[in-house]
Amino acid sequence: QLNANDPWWRPLSSVVVGATTAAMSALLSLGFRKVVVEDLYKLTDVLEADRNRPVVTVANHESTVDDPVIWGIMPRRLRWRPEYMRWTLGARELLYMNPVMNAFFALGQTIPTVRGDGIYQLAVEIGLRKLNENKWVHVFPEARVNQEAQLLRFKWGVSRMIMEAERTPIVVPMYFSGMKAVMPLRQNVPVPRPNPFKSTLYVKVGNAMDFTRLIEEWRVSRASLAPEKAALLDREVRIAIAELLWDSVNDLKAESAAKVQALTEIYDK
């Protein structure tokens, strides 16, 4: 039985998280021709600040290996310190397949998620618990790999975590492009195929979002409502937060379009 409060957890988690992130950094250096990261400080400054609030990051989801590959961009000073690295929700059927994989992904700060089980499943409860411990939780709100041009509607699990955390999280949106070429959905052998002569990765971090006022107004409003009306209000606020998150990631996508296109054209020649 693995317990994150046990004294041996941090050193073992530090090894798994640090070694994995270092390996992903090496992969980005050796397996990609060009990696461009814009405004990473907008995330690292929040993580390293003397804060009393947890952190949530949200991003688009291009491939089954987005996590852990994209975290190869994190600076060395944070990689081996699991308290500064993300917890994330990952598909249980893909990750938690045997005792060895269970231990690896648990120590790697991955929460087993059952797709289709909704926003009240155990994974969301664990995510909330981590936020209440002032941790960083990363979510792919599209909830599945999307290699189409348009972002999918964001699911409401992240909205619930933001709404119900004891201290309203600082939310940092992210957008990246390039992983779908490395790990296409439709291939005979599903393995990553980075090309050091062609593969490119672009990552952009957005401005932090503060939902404190919205959450405070929601809590005050629902306190005087009957259960049925409170449930309707909860749903409306979950939808509103999910739409705001979608807009923030989509805005980053639009801002990045010209740079992604230029990067692709340069290295496609």
Coordinates of all heavy atoms in Angstrom, one line a residue, residues 34-38 73 175 177 200-204 259 263 267:
K34 N 14.1 21.3 -32.8 CA 13.9 22.6 -32.2 C 12.8 22.5 -31.1 O 11.7 22.0 -31.4 CB 13.5 23.6 -33.2 CG 13.4 25.1 -32.7 CD 14.8 25.6 -32.4 CE 14.7 27.1 -32.1 NZ 16.0 27.7 -31.8
V35 N 13.1 23.1 -29.9 CA 12.1 23.2 -28.9 C 12.1 24.7 -28.5 O 13.1 25.3 -28.1 CB 12.5 22.4 -27.6 CG1 11.5 22.6 -26.5 CG2 12.5 20.9 -28.0
V36 N 10.9 25.3 -28.6 CA 10.7 26.7 -28.2 C 9.7 26.8 -27.1 O 8.6 26.3 -27.1 CB 10.1 27.5 -29.4 CG1 9.9 29.0 -29.0 CG2 11.1 27.5 -30.6
V37 N 10.2 27.4 -26.0 CA 9.3 27.6 -24.8 C 9.2 29.1 -24.5 O 10.2 29.8 -24.3 CB 9.9 26.9 -23.6 CG1 9.0 27.0 -22.4 CG2 10.1 25.4 -23.9
E38 N 8.0 29.6 -24.4 CA 7.7 31.0 -24.2 C 7.1 31.2 -22.8 O 6.1 30.5 -22.5 CB 6.9 31.6 -25.3 CG 7.6 31.7 -26.6 CD 6.8 32.6 -27.6 OE1 5.6 32.9 -27.3 OE2 7.4 33.1 -28.6
I73 N 10.7 20.5 -20.1 CA 11.0 21.9 -20.1 C 11.3 22.5 -18.8 O 11.8 23.6 -18.7 CB 9.9 22.7 -20.8 CG1 8.6 22.7 -20.0 CG2 9.6 22.1 -22.2 CD1 7.5 23.6 -20.5
Y175 N -0.4 26.1 -23.6 CA -0.7 25.5 -24.9 C 0.6 25.0 -25.5 O 1.7 25.6 -25.3 CB -1.3 26.6 -25.9 CG -1.4 26.1 -27.3 CD1 -2.4 25.2 -27.6 CD2 -0.5 26.5 -28.3 CE1 -2.5 24.7 -28.9 CE2 -0.6 26.0 -29.6 CZ -1.6 25.1 -29.9 OH -1.7 24.6 -31.2
S177 N 2.3 22.6 -29.1 CA 2.1 22.1 -30.4 C 3.3 21.3 -30.8 O 4.5 21.7 -30.6 CB 1.8 23.2 -31.4 OG 1.6 22.7 -32.7
T200 N 9.6 19.3 -33.9 CA 9.6 20.6 -33.3 C 8.6 20.5 -32.2 O 7.5 19.8 -32.3 CB 9.3 21.7 -34.2 OG1 8.0 21.5 -34.8 CG2 10.3 21.8 -35.3
L201 N 8.8 21.3 -31.1 CA 7.9 21.4 -30.0 C 7.8 22.9 -29.6 O 8.8 23.5 -29.4 CB 8.3 20.6 -28.8 CG 7.4 20.7 -27.6 CD1 6.0 20.2 -27.9 CD2 8.0 20.0 -26.4
Y202 N 6.6 23.4 -29.5 CA 6.4 24.8 -29.1 C 5.5 24.8 -27.9 O 4.4 24.1 -27.9 CB 5.7 25.6 -30.3 CG 5.3 27.0 -29.9 CD1 6.3 28.0 -30.0 CD2 4.1 27.3 -29.4 CE1 5.9 29.3 -29.6 CE2 3.7 28.6 -29.0 CZ 4.7 29.6 -29.2 OH 4.4 30.9 -28.8
V203 N 5.9 25.5 -26.8 CA 5.1 25.6 -25.6 C 5.0 27.0 -25.2 O 6.0 27.8 -25.2 CB 5.8 24.8 -24.5 CG1 5.0 24.8 -23.2 CG2 6.1 23.3 -24.8
K204 N 3.8 27.4 -24.9 CA 3.5 28.8 -24.4 C 2.7 28.7 -23.1 O 1.7 28.0 -23.0 CB 2.8 29.6 -25.5 CG 2.6 31.1 -25.1 CD 2.0 31.9 -26.2 CE 1.8 33.3 -25.8 NZ 3.0 34.0 -25.5
K259 N 3.6 31.6 -35.0 CA 5.0 31.0 -34.6 C 5.1 29.5 -34.9 O 6.1 29.0 -35.3 CB 5.2 31.4 -33.2 CG 5.4 32.9 -32.9 CD 5.7 33.2 -31.5 CE 5.8 34.7 -31.2 NZ 6.0 35.0 -29.8
L263 N 7.6 27.9 -37.4 CA 8.5 26.8 -37.0 C 8.4 25.6 -37.8 O 9.4 24.9 -38.2 CB 8.2 26.5 -35.5 CG 9.2 25.7 -34.7 CD1 10.5 26.4 -34.6 CD2 8.6 25.4 -33.3
Y267 N 11.4 23.8 -40.5 CA 12.0 22.5 -40.3 C 11.4 21.4 -41.1 O 11.8 20.3 -41.1 CB 12.0 22.1 -38.8 CG 12.9 23.0 -38.0 CD1 12.4 24.1 -37.3 CD2 14.3 22.9 -38.1 CE1 13.3 24.9 -36.6 CE2 15.2 23.7 -37.4 CZ 14.7 24.7 -36.7 OH 15.5 25.6 -36.0

